[in-house]
Amino acid sequence: MPSKTGFVYNDLYLEHDTGHGHPERPDRLKAITKHLQNTAMWTQLQHPVFDPATEEWILKVHSPQHWKFVKESCLRGVEVLDQGDTHVCKKSYEVALLAVGGVLAGVDAVMTGILHNVFCAVRPPGHHAEKNAVMGFCLFNNVAVAARYAQQKYGVDKVAIVDWDVHHGNGTQEIFYEDPSVFYISTHQYPFYPGTGARSETGSGRGNGFTLNCPMRAESGEQEYLDAFTKEILPRLEVYRPDLIIISAGFDAHRDDPLAHINLTEGTFGKLTIMVREIAEKYSGGKIVSVLEGGYNLEALAKSVKAHIRELM
Ligand code: ZN
């Protein structure tokens, strides 16, 4: 009996080549799929088929200049898109469109009731990508496009984006900073890359109060995260009553992750998933679209994704 949980993945995601030694590498997705294929969960997951996202949807959150810059730079063979770590290959543009496309297919399946929820094992990740800038391994902001798509295609009123990646999702925050119809919530190591995500950043204009940052000190662990969720995040979600929840599911807050200094275990991600799922069951008919962001220790990543999906099912 198949479950109503989906798993979005495509082998083309492995062809976004970031170069030797880059932490955001194809092996991340290989580790996840290999680990899940060895479990009984695998045959119960549904696997949506999907197409690349079209320019129309990318431009709902990114500028035409940004779209053109990513497309032309990749096709021209440029290897580094910014001053930092955003490495690409000729295929990266095509792969990035399929990453967004996979997430949009996840939205379709959840909004039409084919699935209750879905995990999208996509790359490149998205939450650092701003309206007009690539950043931190991210080309297009997968979750931001998904939120707009759900609103404009399905008339979803209020979307909550819960971002537990260890880094602050500066791109997602920027895109929705003045927008009360998308509530952006983040836990992240702070101060840390990318530098944003102070508690005082709460949105502006009509969006004031619809950004919630829960900065975490280096070496924080499960208890600090459970406190942030039970004392701050869940009460705010109860008031907001989201019609759809999108998770920016990074797993780099795991204690074995090489890029950060937070001490969660795979079990913590299971507990956070249960809490978000309970809110979804109460207000959004259980609808959750969860999208992979970071996570760079292969074993910790695979185990964390498994613990996350187990609680979605
Ligand atoms: Zn991260």
Side-chain angles (χ1 to χ4, degrees):
M1 181 70 182
S3 73
K4 291 195 88 174
T5 293
F7 184 82
V8 161
Y9 169 78
N10 190 294
D11 281 336
L12 191 71
Y13 294 153
L14 305 178
E15 295 186 32
H16 167 51
D17 181 1
T18 48
H20 182 72
H22 196 288
E24 203 295 282
R25 58 208 191 275
D27 284 352
R28 298 176 61 232
L29 296 190
K30 287 185 193 163
I32 291 171
T33 50
K34 195 171 159 221
H35 191 64
L36 290 177
Q37 280 163 0
N38 287 328
T39 68
M41 289 158 60
W42 183 251
T43 52
Q44 293 168 21
L45 289 168
Q46 295 198 46
H47 303 267
V49 292
F50 51 89
D51 295 316
T54 57
E55 179 188 351
E56 177 200 353
W57 290 107
I58 301 295
L59 296 184
K60 297 291 182 190
V61 306
H62 292 291
S63 67
Q65 295 85 335
H66 177 82
W67 174 76
K68 204 165 163 244
F69 170 73
V70 173
K71 178 180 182 181
E72 290 179 356
S73 304
C74 293
L75 296 181
R76 233 178 37 234
V78 173
E79 291 183 349
V80 185
L81 289 193
D82 61 2
Q83 309 302 317
D85 295 327
T86 312
H87 292 213
V88 293
C89 66
K90 282 197 168 179
K91 278 213 151 179
S92 295
Y93 167 71
E94 184 188 346
V95 179
L97 289 183
L98 195 66
V100 179
V103 178
L104 299 189
V107 172
D108 285 331
V110 164
M111 290 312 302
T112 55
I114 293 169
L115 299 175
H116 284 312
N117 54 43
V118 62
F119 178 74
C120 306
V122 301
R123 59 185 292 277
H127 73 152
H128 295 303
E130 299 183 345
K131 180 171 193 273
N132 209 21
V134 302
M135 190 170 158
F137 320 159
C138 302
L139 306 182
F140 300 130
N141 196 313
N142 302 316
V143 297
V145 180
R148 279 290 180 253
Y149 181 80
Q151 290 183 319
Q152 296 186 13
K153 185 165 178 191
Y154 295 100
V156 168
D157 193 14
K158 290 176 289 180
V159 180
I161 299 177
V162 177
D163 183 339
W164 66 48
D165 186 279
V166 81
H167 303 97
H168 181 243
N170 58 289
T172 315
Q173 172 171 299
E174 183 232 22
I175 289 163
F176 300 117
Y177 207 56
E178 298 184 355
D179 184 347
S181 74
V182 180
F183 186 11
Y184 177 70
I185 299 170
S186 177
T187 54
H188 46 274
Q189 183 176 332
Y190 186 87
F192 198 48
Y193 181 88
T196 49
R199 186 168 283 285
S200 58
E201 296 164 22
T202 58
S204 72
R206 290 182 58 235
N208 191 21
F210 297 98
T211 294
L212 172 62
N213 283 303
C214 300
M216 312 298 280
R217 268 192 210 103
E219 306 308 332
S220 294
E222 177 170 293
Q223 195 53 52
E224 285 85 353
Y225 270 68
L226 295 181
D227 283 349
F229 270 75
T230 53
K231 291 176 186 164
E232 286 196 83
I233 295 171
L234 300 181
R236 291 288 299 277
L237 284 170
E238 293 273 357
V239 173
Y240 190 67
R241 298 171 162 254
D243 302 305
L244 171 67
I245 299 180
I246 297 176
I247 303 178
S248 257
F251 298 96
D252 40 10
H254 193 285
R255 65 184 174 197
D256 294 336
D257 196 273
L259 262 56
H261 317 93
I262 297 289
N263 297 316
L264 305 187
T265 67
E266 49 271 26
T268 317
F269 293 109
K271 291 178 187 174
L272 301 184
T273 305
I274 292 171
M275 290 194 275
V276 173
R277 200 190 66 204
E278 283 171 358
I279 294 288
E281 279 162 4
K282 236 165 135 178
Y283 300 110
S284 70
K287 294 192 277 293
I288 297 174
V289 176
S290 178
V291 182
L292 181 67
E293 301 283 0
Y296 304 98
N297 174 299
L298 298 183
E299 196 184 339
L301 173 64
K303 286 181 177 170
S304 299
V305 168
K306 180 180 157 194
H308 174 52
I309 293 177
R310 190 197 291 124
E311 301 305 342
L312 287 176
M313 290 174 86

